[in-house]
Amino acid sequence: MIRDVLEQSLRDALVAAGVDAPVTVHLERPARREHGDWSSNIALATAKAAGRNPRELATQLAEWLSAHPPTHVERIELAGPGFVNFHLNDSWLHEVLGDVVSLGFADYGRHDFGSGARINVEFVSANPTGPLHAGGGRWAAYGDALSNLLQRCGYEPHREYYLNGRGTQMGLFGASLAARKRGEEVPEGGYQGEYIREWAAEMPEDVDASEWGYERVKRDLRETLEGMGVRFDTWFSERSLVDSGAVEGTLAELRDKGMAYDAEGAVWIRTEQFGDRKDQVVVRSTGEPAYLLPDLAYHRDKFARGFNLLIDIWGADHQGYVPSLKAGLQCLGHEPDELEIVLGQLVTLMRDGQPVRLSKRAGTLVLLADLLDAVGPDVARLTFLLQSLDTRQTIDLGVITAQSMENPVYYVQMAHARIAGIARRAAEVAVSRRPLDAVDLGLLTHERELDVLRSLSELPDTVALATTDRAPHRITTWVRELAGAFHGFYHDCYVIGEGVSDDLTQARLWLVESARIGLAIGLDLLGVSAPESM
């Protein structure tokens, strides 16, 4: 691809200038088109070590490159203190079209830098005390899309849900069900949601309410998430962890490593030496394990299952706990970068200008299942993926249910539907695409056509960056930009009809096909369907 060509040319120019080329040659797309199609700061990056003036070195590089122009380069210019800017012929974008259609849906924008590494991605993991509220859909959409990206970059992601089925809240949940079954008020601190009444009516007589409720929640969680297109490889039970003796085994390993000690009637581990604010208690003076110990046991179990990297996706309210968990794993002998914790902000749902409260216990609950019924999984997923997970998100239920171009999901999917419509029109008039090598792509010179191809050229870099930055919203931004470019093309450039030559029709049909492939890839990464009509 063009990036590789330009990188190699810059390396050759450095050698000609008597400067050692760095391991990485940085290239970026300028924010303003008048600054070229690609830009490099290579002169600034290497001048100091070479004892050269950056501007003078950039001038020498530009002169050599102008005398030995890389493929597709029209002209080279200097900018600022030493940037080398490349202005390319349209032919480079025609080559992009060829790359897209030759590599196709399966391989365009695919990378192999994951090298088959196994990654455990744990997400959602809401306490099993009721249905998943609508805000939990953000974690579901994010974790699933991130797993899709990891897979496209050569990793082997494993989706996991952790069921924390023990503790005080589970007891209150069961007691709330039992009370409603008897026609009584729930206990103090219990669960008031309408779902408690509904499930209590469904619950058989003479059963353990906590156990029955636990199984009922698991079924509801699975059905709701699968309705959103999210399927987990493992539903991991905290109960199984405790029953297996893994918690005691983890404590024994910490003692064997000299990382656990007794003080003040409790058992502590030496997390402070690994950057935690203080050592942490793992067994209380009552003999009950603190939350950290079973959590360490759970992560220890993940590593024992052969995962190279663990990614946990949590709410921002867990931020203070992160250093303790990472330090605890270091006590067990793991490196800190073997665990990544992604923290996400909450969602505010708006209806008629007013925020909708989300609370399982208070009963003012908007269920994810209800949101999916109202807008469908495509709208829900893409809406949740519009913004970076580390920003608070406000979702207006009125906007996302509207069938208008103001709705970003409708806007993107309509682009794909228009592509399918062009294909149907071509079939109606018996026009089929000739082989690509028999088509003159040089006829694609309209700015709207080139905008589509520029967007497509950015997909491989966007996929790589979205994966390494753990940022699926970058794909959402990209598909919206491609959709916008295609809508502009659709409005200004007829594909078939009076005034459009047969040769131009052929070139534009291939352009439309490349846009179809790109949109299909982007939407698939987001877990959103690509409809052929709307």
Side-chain angles (χ1 to χ4, degrees):
M1 293 186 178
I2 189 65
R3 176 193 287 276
D4 300 323
V5 172
L6 298 180
E7 284 184 3
Q8 186 57 52
S9 294
L10 285 166
R11 291 181 185 280
D12 293 342
L14 284 170
V15 171
V19 176
D20 291 334
V23 174
T24 300
V25 174
H26 183 68
L27 277 161
E28 64 180 21
R29 301 169 191 264
R32 298 172 61 179
R33 285 289 316 286
E34 61 265 30
H35 293 163
D37 296 286
W38 291 88
S39 179
S40 177
N41 67 346
I42 192 67
L44 293 165
T46 58
K48 184 176 181 180
R52 304 283 294 273
N53 177 280
R55 178 75 180 187
E56 291 177 357
L57 177 58
T59 300
Q60 189 173 355
L61 296 178
E63 289 174 351
W64 189 93
L65 289 164
S66 296
H68 306 82
T71 303
H72 305 302
V73 172
E74 181 178 89
R75 73 179 191 278
I76 296 163
E77 65 181 16
L78 301 182
F83 290 94
V84 178
N85 293 344
F86 296 90
H87 295 260
L88 306 184
N89 294 308
D90 295 344
S91 57
W92 86 278
L93 293 172
H94 304 149
E95 189 172 280
V96 167
L97 191 159
D99 290 338
V100 174
V101 298
S102 62
L103 292 171
F105 175 84
D107 291 318
Y108 187 66
R110 186 175 293 280
H111 302 276
D112 61 3
F113 57 77
S115 302
R118 300 185 66 222
I119 300 182
N120 183 291
V121 185
E122 187 228 315
F123 57 105
V124 185
S125 297
N127 287 342
T129 54
L132 197 61
H133 65 66
R138 191 181 197 190
W139 273 254
Y142 175 89
D144 197 48
L146 176 59
S147 297
N148 291 340
L149 281 164
L150 290 167
Q151 187 166 4
R152 198 161 188 94
C153 290
Y155 296 96
E156 294 182 17
H158 182 95
R159 296 162 174 83
E160 184 151 317
Y161 192 116
Y162 182 59
L163 290 158
N164 180 13
R166 299 169 64 251
T168 303
Q169 295 308 315
M170 286 302 300
L172 284 170
F173 172 55
S176 300
L177 283 171
R180 290 302 187 197
K181 186 68 177 180
R182 296 190 300 269
E184 301 172 358
E185 291 298 313
V186 303
E188 183 178 354
Y191 289 78
Q192 301 281 351
E194 183 60 28
Y195 71 94
I196 292 290
R197 296 180 184 275
E198 294 174 359
W199 287 1
E202 178 186 328
M203 184 173 66
E205 300 283 352
D206 301 322
V207 296
D208 184 313
S210 293
E211 289 300 315
W212 184 90
Y214 177 66
E215 294 301 324
R216 183 65 179 82
V217 171
K218 285 197 299 182
R219 186 171 85 246
D220 188 85
L221 289 170
R222 189 188 300 270
E223 290 174 354
T224 299
L225 289 165
E226 288 186 355
M228 194 177 174
V230 179
R231 292 172 175 79
F232 288 89
D233 300 298
T234 297
W235 291 77
F236 192 97
S237 167
E238 182 191 20
R239 296 179 178 190
S240 69
L241 189 77
V242 173
D243 293 343
S244 71
V247 176
E248 291 83 356
T250 301
L251 180 57
E253 183 176 343
L254 288 164
R255 288 193 182 278
D256 289 344
K257 292 179 179 295
M259 290 294 167
Y261 63 93
D262 300 296
E264 302 174 14
V267 182
W268 303 66
I269 59 172
R270 306 183 190 280
T271 54
E272 185 176 6
Q273 72 183 62
F274 295 112
D276 200 4
R277 59 187 178 85
K278 65 175 184 176
D279 286 353
Q280 296 294 326
V281 172
V282 290
V283 180
R284 301 185 179 94
S285 58
T286 60
E288 287 293 310
Y291 183 75
L292 180 59
L293 185 57
D295 215 11
L296 287 173
Y298 173 46
H299 288 76
R300 175 174 172 258
D301 181 87
K302 291 183 187 181
F303 283 119
R305 284 184 269 150
F307 294 108
N308 307 106
L309 173 67
L310 312 182
I311 298 178
D312 292 352
I313 302 165
W314 295 349
D317 56 331
H318 290 82
Q319 183 172 2
Y321 180 64
V322 172
S324 299
L325 179 59
K326 291 180 75 75
L329 287 174
Q330 286 180 267
C331 289
L332 286 167
H334 293 282
E335 296 297 324
D337 60 1
E338 291 182 78
L339 169 66
E340 291 182 21
I341 297 177
V342 179
L343 297 175
Q345 295 287 343
L346 298 178
V347 173
T348 298
L349 290 179
M350 302 291 291
R351 179 185 288 143
D352 299 326
Q354 297 296 320
V356 180
R357 293 181 60 196
L358 301 176
S359 170
K360 282 182 185 176
R361 298 176 69 181
T364 54
L365 182 65
V366 176
L367 301 183
L368 178 59
D370 292 340
L371 181 66
L372 295 176
D373 286 342
V375 302
D378 287 343
V379 172
R381 288 184 68 126
L382 198 143
T383 300
F384 284 126
L385 293 168
L386 286 171
Q387 297 173 217
S388 173
L389 192 69
D390 62 3
T391 62
R392 286 192 68 92
Q393 184 175 31
T394 299
I395 296 175
D396 189 318
L397 295 175
V399 171
I400 67 173
T401 55
Q403 294 293 302
S404 75
M405 295 298 254
E406 297 301 312
N407 179 341
V409 186
Y410 185 86
Y411 183 77
V412 171
Q413 290 187 317
M414 178 54 76
H416 194 273
R418 282 177 162 175
I419 289 171
I422 291 171
R424 289 193 294 271
R425 175 58 181 158
E428 288 171 3
V429 297
V431 174
S432 58
R433 291 194 308 268
R434 294 197 292 266
L436 183 61
D437 58 8
V439 174
D440 182 7
L441 298 180
L443 296 173
L444 300 175
T445 59
H446 194 287
E447 194 60 25
R448 294 296 198 185
E449 297 165 334
L450 300 179
D451 282 344
V452 172
L453 295 176
R454 286 190 189 96
S455 291
L456 288 168
S457 75
E458 295 173 1
L459 179 58
D461 288 345
T462 303
V463 169
L465 190 61
T467 304
T468 56
D469 287 356
R470 314 299 191 231
H473 72 280
R474 293 184 184 276
I475 301 297
T476 312
T477 300
W478 179 84
V479 296
R480 294 177 73 186
E481 290 172 352
L482 177 58
F486 188 82
H487 287 311
F489 164 80
Y490 185 86
H491 182 269
D492 290 351
C493 301
Y494 291 143
V495 177
I496 301 169
E498 187 177 349
V500 183
S501 70
D502 179 62
D503 287 341
L504 183 55
T505 289
Q506 287 296 319
R508 286 179 173 173
L509 283 173
W510 277 110
L511 175 67
V512 170
E513 172 63 4
S514 68
R516 183 197 68 79
I517 292 169
L519 275 175
I521 292 170
L523 290 172
D524 183 67
L525 288 170
L526 299 172
V528 176
S529 68
E532 297 199 353
S533 62
M534 295 187 69

